[in-house]
Amino acid sequence: MSNYHIKHLEEYFQVYRKSVRNPESYWEEIAEEHFMWHKRWDNVLSYDFEKPEFKWFEGAQLNITENCIDRHLRTRGDQTAILFEPNNPDEEALHITYNELHDRVCKMANVLKVEGIQKGDRVCIYLPMIPELAVAVLACARIGAIHSVVFAGFSSTALATRINDSNCKMVITSDGSFRGSKTIDLKGIVDEGLKKCDSVETVLVVNRIDSGVEMKEGRDKWLQPLLDKAEATCEPEIMDAEDPLFILYTSGSTGTPKGMVHTTAGYMVYTAFTFKNVFQYRDGDVYWCTADIGWITGHSYIVYGPLANGATTVMFEGVPSYPDYGRFWEIVDKHKVTQFYTAPTAIRALAKENLEHVEKYDLSSLKVLGTVGEPINEEAWHWYDENIGKKKCPIVDTWWQTETGGIMISPIPYSTPAIPTFATLPLPGIQPALMDEEGKEIKGNQVDGRLCIKFPWPSMARTIWGNHQRYKDTYFSAFKNMYFTGDGALRDSVGYYRITGRVDDVVIVSGHNLGTAPIEDAINEHPAVAESAIVGYPHEVKGNALYGYVILKETGETRNQDNLRKEINQLISDRIGPIAKLDKIQFTSGLPKTRSGKIMRRILRKIASNDTSNLGDTSTLLNPEVVQEVMDNVIK
Ligand code: 6R9
């Protein structure tokens, strides 16, 4: 098991040095020892940053679900694979063993085949956090269909955009979902979205809330009766290493969402390897990641990474505040969770509540705590450390992205001494670089710059679905022979990395990536709006919240501003989803612009953040006088 499970700092440095000296042989050894292949690769890595093109384990053949399920059946068939905790605490938790998971996935895979899905077809999955979501993902992978999971909090328009972008042939959804004390009409959202989609032939519907939805003749089918008829075995489709495994959409700073394409072998090897090391998972552990499978964190660290290691992975349907703010800790206690992985925004929200919610429960099973999604502030880190980890659990602050497929920079528990707010050191095989604005690498320590990665790693996204040029432009054009992350970072005196946040127009709200341009597009559709600019500003719970500056058309200026604010947020909610709503909307007569007509968001960001001491030189603006007006009317 060499290299696969790092146990102390010296070993980390040894392994790291080896991994950068000869990345090919490093990853080859791991791929050889820990996975099941139908055919060995001819070549570990070939790459070209210009095209850009990256191929890992070319020539190899495999099926990822055999690695995540079948090969565990002999040794741990009766062990829980997925532990499902329902929204309602009175509903019993479900322990799905590896044997049962195998049968469920095979049945679902057979249903997909009967419904005409073939290798390479795209299947959109729009489901709440219920076992069928993980099963549907794996069933697609079983037969070589490409899954495109869309987070079930997205609106019908956002769903339709994503379905159309990749021409999905099928949608798998449910009648509705439970979220705390509410139910959400998912099927209604799908019906609305599909009015704009021609490619979808079939909609499979899980009955989750028994709401008796309308079923469209010839298109919609209840899933359960089909599963009941299906066989519990399904030969896995043999896939090439570089066959696409899934598409997952992420927000860009401009334009439509980007369908990041991940392929099979490299993604599997890297997510499995990082899961094992970053969470120090051991047999018998119960691992819980609170993310939704609609995000990359759920793909890599609820489904694929844990299952590839034969782990027990918890899936939670509900929210941290229902029935009260103790729910997370109740679940940790009830299932004796050993690794707990969540987002800073959740930690901050829970830290605001009475400590009694924590103290009621026995959290002594916990060994490792993790965070992901955005920078964690020091206060939240300490609260997590003291109240949840009782100062005994290492905290892994894991930095990575939808595009990177797996965790890139993170402490390794018991090896890397943690420092609050630092993601610390790169994982083996990851070669970060900090770049200045001229495109030169900034060497040495105690420096900051734009974070890039200068050598390929197995789980990097290979393209943007249908738009390879955009992939090149977004990630490989800013700096030659480098992947550009879009984040800024600093490297301290011992070489630890701290991520300082996005350097582009993406704002991370409650851990969700939101591009400001699509939100502006939505607002600008309002008949009374002439122009708008969205920026993020610091928010104590959400990390960042959205602040909108809106210029009204002359005709709109006489309207009631509170009503306008509501209408604008409704538009955003319809076009993108409630997560993108603005916390503050300021109406203004103008926006500061450069002479070339670009809105100076840097200034707007500072004003929204109440940080106007150093606005920089505004005299070169096209309309410097507008800065004072914006400042005078800022919404505190
Ligand atoms: C996994 C995930 C990616 C962006 C990324 C960065 C921010 C993620 C972070 C972090 C500071 C961390 N981010 N983890 N910032 N510290 N530990 O979140 O993917 O949704 O694509 O977001 O999130 O800005 O560029 P994704």
Side-chain angles (χ1 to χ4, degrees):
M1 298 290 260
S2 58
N3 297 339
Y4 199 62
H5 208 165
I6 295 166
K7 286 170 229 65
H8 51 83
L9 191 58
E10 211 174 300
E11 188 183 349
Y12 161 80
F13 282 118
Q14 265 172 23
V15 170
Y16 184 77
R17 274 195 296 270
K18 183 171 148 190
S19 76
V20 285
R21 216 179 298 126
N22 195 339
E24 278 95 334
S25 70
Y26 178 76
W27 290 112
E28 177 159 52
E29 205 177 299
I30 288 171
E32 238 159 25
E33 282 181 30
H34 302 282
F35 302 91
M36 202 178 135
W37 305 91
H38 281 270
K39 177 176 168 285
R40 206 190 138 85
W41 46 91
D42 306 315
N43 194 14
V44 180
L45 168 67
S46 64
Y47 68 99
D48 179 341
F49 273 101
E50 290 297 317
K51 280 184 177 171
E53 187 178 88
F54 308 93
K55 292 183 177 170
W56 283 91
F57 308 111
E58 212 182 345
Q61 293 187 325
L62 72 155
N63 185 289
I64 195 169
T65 69
E66 279 186 300
N67 281 277
C68 288
I69 306 171
D70 303 55
R71 68 172 167 141
H72 305 312
L73 297 182
R74 206 169 41 81
T75 48
R76 54 180 91 233
D78 293 326
Q79 181 204 305
T80 304
I82 294 177
L83 202 176
F84 172 63
E85 172 69 25
N87 176 66
N88 177 353
D90 299 329
E91 190 181 324
E92 225 174 294
L94 205 61
H95 291 255
I96 302 172
T97 65
Y98 274 93
N99 280 328
E100 287 161 352
L101 183 63
H102 172 269
D103 291 2
R104 282 182 177 235
V105 169
C106 286
K107 284 185 177 182
M108 180 87 91
N110 285 325
V111 169
L112 298 184
K113 282 206 224 167
V114 170
E115 295 301 324
I117 299 300
Q118 295 176 348
K119 178 176 176 179
D121 285 345
R122 275 80 59 206
V123 174
C124 172
I125 304 175
Y126 186 73
L127 279 171
M129 282 287 285
I130 54 178
E132 286 82 355
L133 171 50
V135 170
V137 160
L138 293 162
C140 287
R142 187 80 173 177
I143 64 168
I146 302 169
H147 55 78
S148 168
V149 182
V150 175
F151 172 59
F154 275 121
S155 71
S156 61
T157 315
L159 174 66
T161 310
R162 287 158 176 78
I163 289 173
N164 287 334
D165 183 74
S166 47
N167 283 307
C168 294
K169 219 168 144 180
M170 174 187 273
V171 178
I172 306 177
T173 189
S174 63
D175 54 349
S177 65
F178 295 119
R179 236 183 121 65
S181 55
K182 290 192 280 196
T183 57
I184 295 161
D185 173 22
L186 285 191
K187 177 65 167 49
I189 298 173
V190 171
D191 289 341
E192 187 58 35
L194 288 189
K195 287 183 187 159
K196 294 167 231 141
C197 304
D198 295 330
S199 58
V200 175
E201 293 166 9
T202 314
V203 178
L204 299 181
V205 187
V206 177
N207 181 358
R208 175 59 184 143
I209 67 168
D210 235 346
S211 62
V213 292
E214 232 174 84
M215 300 291 276
K216 187 171 167 191
E217 219 13 267
R219 187 195 69 181
D220 302 349
K221 297 180 180 168
W222 290 108
L223 181 62
Q224 195 55 51
L226 302 177
L227 289 172
D228 292 341
K229 279 188 289 192
E231 286 221 27
T233 53
C234 173
E235 278 304 303
E237 185 77 31
I238 304 304
M239 306 297 285
D240 289 336
E242 284 295 340
D243 277 339
L245 174 65
F246 65 86
I247 302 169
L248 185 60
Y249 287 87
T250 187
S251 308
S253 48
T254 54
T256 51
K258 299 172 285 190
M260 304 313 305
V261 177
H262 282 283
T263 57
T264 308
Y267 176 82
M268 172 183 78
V269 168
Y270 193 78
T271 53
F273 167 80
T274 48
F275 172 77
K276 183 83 176 165
N277 276 294
V278 172
F279 299 103
Q280 291 286 308
Y281 187 89
R282 310 281 165 124
D283 274 349
D285 284 352
V286 176
Y287 161 89
W288 180 20
C289 164
T290 69
D292 192 289
I293 293 176
W295 311 114
I296 191 69
T297 305
H299 280 61
S300 302
Y301 299 109
I302 296 178
V303 182
Y304 288 114
L307 296 178
N309 281 284
T312 296
T313 176
V314 175
M315 247 184 107
F316 175 44
E317 182 184 28
V319 292
S321 54
Y322 179 81
D324 62 42
Y325 284 97
R327 187 68 194 275
F328 273 5
W329 322 124
E330 187 234 344
I331 296 173
V332 168
D333 187 352
K334 177 171 162 194
H335 297 303
K336 301 292 165 235
V337 170
T338 45
Q339 287 89 354
F340 179 75
Y341 190 29
T342 196
T345 184
I347 299 169
R348 287 189 296 264
L350 294 171
K352 276 195 6 192
E353 301 301 325
N354 199 320
L355 257 190
E356 277 172 20
H357 289 302
V358 179
E359 285 162 352
K360 268 196 345 223
Y361 300 103
D362 175 10
L363 305 182
S364 62
S365 57
L366 288 171
K367 296 196 285 193
V368 174
L369 302 177
T371 86
V372 60
E374 55 186 317
I376 180 164
N377 51 308
E378 214 158 328
E379 209 184 331
W381 195 97
H382 286 297
W383 185 87
Y384 202 28
D385 183 39
E386 282 159 27
N387 298 296
I388 307 306
K390 318 287 180 197
K391 292 195 160 237
K392 289 192 324 261
C393 301
I395 296 180
V396 290
D397 177 352
T398 64
W399 173 83
W400 59 295
Q401 309 176 296
T402 304
E403 294 86 339
T404 68
I407 298 169
M408 303 287 280
I409 303 182
S410 168
I412 292 176
Y414 317 113
S415 297
T416 324
I419 302 181
T421 77
F422 281 80
T424 74
L425 298 169
L427 292 181
I430 303 307
Q431 303 187 35
L434 296 179
M435 307 297 290
D436 68 17
E437 280 170 42
E438 270 85 65
K440 279 212 304 288
E441 183 170 352
I442 309 167
K443 302 262 171 127
N445 287 344
Q446 271 190 315
V447 291
D448 63 81
R450 291 168 182 233
L451 179 62
C452 291
I453 312 291
K454 57 182 173 184
F455 195 82
W457 65 100
S459 65
M460 64 199 296
R462 303 296 197 261
T463 189
I464 291 175
W465 183 265
N467 198 344
H468 196 68
Q469 186 61 41
R470 188 174 179 200
Y471 172 72
K472 179 174 177 159
D473 294 344
T474 312
Y475 304 110
F476 299 96
S477 300
F479 304 100
K480 202 175 158 52
N481 292 333
M482 301 251 172
Y483 165 79
F484 174 46
T485 65
D487 283 322
L490 63 82
R491 189 163 52 221
D492 77 355
S493 57
V494 296
Y496 273 21
Y497 288 88
R498 175 187 191 166
I499 314 302
T500 47
R502 303 289 306 189
V503 294
D504 55 14
D505 290 329
V506 172
V507 183
I508 307 211
V509 178
S510 298
H512 302 315
N513 275 12
L514 297 171
T516 51
I519 304 176
E520 289 165 7
D521 291 346
I523 298 177
N524 297 346
E525 280 181 37
H526 192 288
V529 171
E531 198 180 1
S532 62
I534 306 299
V535 297
Y537 69 94
H539 183 281
E540 38 155 359
V541 174
K542 304 193 223 182
N544 294 291
L546 296 172
Y547 192 113
Y549 297 91
V550 175
I551 304 177
L552 293 175
K553 291 181 184 156
E554 262 172 43
T555 50
E557 282 174 15
T558 53
R559 297 194 36 191
N560 176 304
Q561 296 205 337
D562 282 337
N563 285 345
L564 274 172
R565 288 193 174 94
K566 278 191 201 128
E567 289 169 20
I568 286 171
N569 265 330
Q570 189 56 48
L571 252 177
I572 296 173
S573 204
D574 294 343
R575 294 291 180 275
I576 299 156
I579 48 175
K581 281 198 204 169
L582 310 181
D583 275 38
K584 296 180 183 174
I585 300 177
Q586 174 179 352
F587 296 104
T588 176
S589 73
L591 293 165
K593 289 191 177 169
T594 63
R595 286 177 193 270
S596 63
K598 277 212 178 76
I599 299 172
M600 287 288 281
R601 285 163 212 281
R602 185 176 53 78
I603 292 175
L604 293 174
R605 229 176 324 220
K606 288 203 156 194
I607 296 175
S609 312
N610 266 322
D611 168 25
T612 48
S613 55
N614 181 18
L615 283 184
D617 183 10
T618 55
S619 64
T620 57
L621 290 175
L622 192 64
N623 50 354
E625 69 290 346
V626 97
V627 175
Q628 194 59 49
E629 184 211 313
V630 173
M631 274 172 27
D632 290 345
N633 296 315
V634 70
I635 300 176
K636 297 246 158 104

